[in-house]
Each structure stands twice: as C-alpha cells, then as structure tokens.
Amino acid sequence: MTWKVLISAPHLVPVLERFRPTFAAEGIECVVLTAPQRLSEADLLPWVGDIDGAICGDDAYTATVIAAAPKLKVISKWGIGVDSIDLDAAARGGIVVRNTPSALADPVADTVLAYVLCFARQVAALDRAMKQGRWERLPARSLRESTLGVIGVGSIGRAVVTRAAAFGMRVIGHDVVAVDPGFAAQTGLTISTLDELLAASDFVSLNCTLTPETYHLIGARALGLMRSHAVLINTARGKLVDEPALIEALRRTQIGGAALDVFEVEPLPADSPLRGMDQVLLGPHAANASPAAFERIHAQAVANLLDELKRWTRA
C-alpha cells in the first residue's frame, strides 16, 4: 500500500533526505512544504485533500483543514504542544494525533535556569552598563536566597524543578494534574495554589500546556499578585500570557522583569514594546534548541507516523 504524507515540520525538512529510505521502504510518498515558522490554514488547504498522514510543527490543523482531508489518518506533531491542532475535530474524524512529549525537557529546562541565573546575578544589566562605560555594582541575589514557582509540573516542569533544587532554590509547583509525591519529596517541591505560588515566588516559570483553560493564565490579576521584583519566564506558549497586560505591568514596574521565548504573535512584531525594554530578555522560540534533542524528536515523530499507518495496514 502507498501512503501520501505531508511533511512540514521546520526542523525535520532540512534533514529529510536521511529518512527517505525509511519512508520508501514503507511505501510512503512525501510531500514537503516549508515555512519559516508555521503554515496557516490557507497554506495547508491546497495540499491536504489526498494525504494519509502528516508530520507537522505548529501548523494550523483547524477544523476546516481537517474537514478538507478525508483520507487523513494520523497527525504526528514534531514537538510537544498540540494547541495548533483542533483535537475535537481530529477525534470526530478518527484521526490520531501523536506528539513527542519528553524529548525537549532538557534544553528547555536549561534555558529556564539560564534566565533565572541571568536575572539573579544581573548578567545582562552588568554587561550593558560596562559597555556603556559605567562601572556599577548592581544588587544581585544567590539562588539559595530565591524561590522559583513552576506552573506545570510535567516532563519539562519536573526537569526545571530538579535543576532549581540542585542550586538550592526553594521550589513551589502548581499543576491541575496531581504531582507524584515521591518526586516532590525527592526534590523538596512544595505544591500550592496558583495564587500562593505567584505571591511567594521571585521567579515564575510557565511550563504548562496551552488549553482553553490556560489561555491568558497570566493576565492583569495574576501579575498583580506577583512580587515587585519578580521575573516571569515563559518558554511554553505565548498565549499563556496576556501580552498587553504584561507590557503594562513592566512599564509600571509592577514586576521586575520577564524572559520570553514565545509570544502571542510569532515572529514577534518589529514594533512590539517588549523589544525596547531593558528588563526583558527575548528569544525567537528557540528554548528547545539542541542537536541531540532534535535527533530524538525526528526519530520519534517519524516512528509515531509509521506506527499509526501500520495499524491501518494491519486492519
């Protein structure tokens, strides 16, 4: 049997030739689309009419796209977040959605701790002052003096907690899913409500998934609960944060700073006020960058696709 598969995951496309023998052996015809970030509904619609499977990044597999793909059997997501896929529409159509849930934990958790250290030790501010000709000793803090709040204690959140605990930080966690008591005991993690976490933390790291319930989880009210010196770190999904509310809180020095690798609109617009704020560190959705992790995700995304197509072959 021959399968037609649309491949658009931006990190997989450049190395796709390595996987073509595997696809050929399984009777898979590859259709390749490239985009610097993600494909829109309009981008996808001309291509999905006769595909059996897809390996995608954060492409917009909306209900409209899924309805236009009557043969589609599996969407293999390169990465963790599946918020760009209409899961209800996929379920109604009998389409299996698979992702790669744990492969990115290490690089993302490393990035979170890098941001924590940068703010705690004033690395960026000291560098900026020196380059502007100023010899200033700015107030800094040890991580052992600091509390980190981790919102979302899944695979990435647990990796963040483990690293923070190794630095001697007090760590507070919040999750709608019960956290393993053994992990909490091993790392010294304290589980709390969201409001308690926001009020007690010097750093707040977002490591939860984007759902209708977590959309704009951090808005004006949540920011109002944070300490005036606290730093918000978001390496998860941009829409977890109400960006205008965050910008206003930063302008009013309601919180101390932010480290943002993801945004409500990506790429971040050139006129975003965030670009001109010294108390903000910005990244281009690159917290997951890691050659070894990418290799694991390539292999897992391909394997997820093949697993589901083989189920149809056996059926």
Side-chain angles (χ1 to χ4, degrees):
M1 183 178 292
T2 300
W3 306 104
K4 190 171 185 179
V5 172
L6 179 62
I7 300 176
S8 57
H11 294 294
L12 178 59
V13 168
V15 298
L16 188 60
E17 291 305 314
R18 300 207 326 255
F19 295 91
R20 285 195 184 275
T22 300
F23 289 132
E26 300 295 339
I28 292 175
E29 174 192 350
C30 298
V31 178
V32 181
L33 290 181
T34 59
Q37 285 287 327
R38 63 197 68 193
L39 298 174
S40 68
E41 181 179 270
D43 294 328
L44 289 169
L45 282 172
W47 300 95
V48 299
D50 61 348
I51 63 170
D52 300 287
I55 302 179
C56 66
D58 291 329
D59 303 327
Y61 276 85
T62 63
T64 300
V65 170
I66 289 170
K71 297 175 63 180
L72 186 58
K73 300 164 180 65
V74 54
I75 301 173
S76 177
K77 169 64 195 297
W78 192 105
I80 300 172
V82 292
D83 48 277
S84 62
I85 302 169
D86 190 319
L87 299 179
D88 290 336
R92 289 194 299 270
I95 300 163
V96 176
V97 178
R98 299 273 298 269
N99 66 347
T100 59
S102 60
L104 294 171
D106 284 341
V108 176
D110 289 349
T111 300
V112 172
L113 263 293
Y115 283 138
V116 169
L117 282 163
C118 194
F119 275 99
R121 303 308 305 159
Q122 295 275 29
V123 174
L126 290 168
D127 174 77
R128 187 165 53 248
M130 289 289 289
K131 289 176 178 176
Q132 293 173 354
R134 304 196 311 274
W135 184 273
E136 296 178 350
R137 293 186 176 182
L138 300 175
R141 63 193 305 134
S142 164
L143 295 197
R144 287 188 179 274
E145 302 169 309
S146 305
T147 297
L148 172 64
V150 178
I151 301 175
V153 194
S155 60
I156 293 176
R158 288 193 299 272
V160 172
V161 170
T162 300
R163 284 159 172 75
F167 275 95
M169 297 187 80
R170 177 189 178 216
V171 189
I172 305 171
H174 172 76
D175 205 314
V176 295
V177 178
V179 177
D180 176 15
F183 174 78
Q186 177 186 359
T187 57
L189 175 67
T190 300
I191 303 300
S192 78
T193 67
L194 178 60
D195 285 2
E196 290 169 342
L197 181 152
L198 293 169
S201 298
D202 302 300
F203 299 91
V204 174
S205 177
L206 297 177
N207 300 109
C208 53
T209 56
L210 177 62
T211 66
E213 293 71 32
T214 59
Y215 175 78
H216 282 185
L217 179 69
I218 304 300
R221 177 186 175 279
L223 291 162
L225 294 174
M226 293 175 63
R227 295 179 170 188
S228 61
H229 65 269
V231 174
L232 178 69
I233 301 170
N234 189 9
T235 56
R237 280 291 188 262
K239 292 180 180 179
L240 294 171
V241 177
D242 180 341
E243 222 162 86
L246 173 62
I247 290 168
E248 181 63 18
L250 290 164
R251 281 174 169 161
R252 294 170 53 197
T253 63
Q254 189 174 352
I255 66 171
L260 307 171
D261 186 61
V262 288
F263 306 92
E264 292 208 65
V265 176
E266 295 183 1
L268 181 66
D271 61 352
S272 169
L274 293 168
R275 291 182 179 270
M277 293 182 166
D278 286 343
Q279 75 275 43
V280 178
L281 297 179
L282 303 175
H285 203 145
N288 62 0
S290 160
F294 283 7
E295 286 299 318
R296 291 193 296 272
I297 301 172
H298 296 334
Q300 191 173 346
V302 170
N304 287 345
L305 175 88
L306 296 180
D307 284 349
E308 298 303 328
L309 291 180
K310 286 176 180 177
R311 292 180 195 275
W312 281 85
T313 302
R314 290 193 294 270

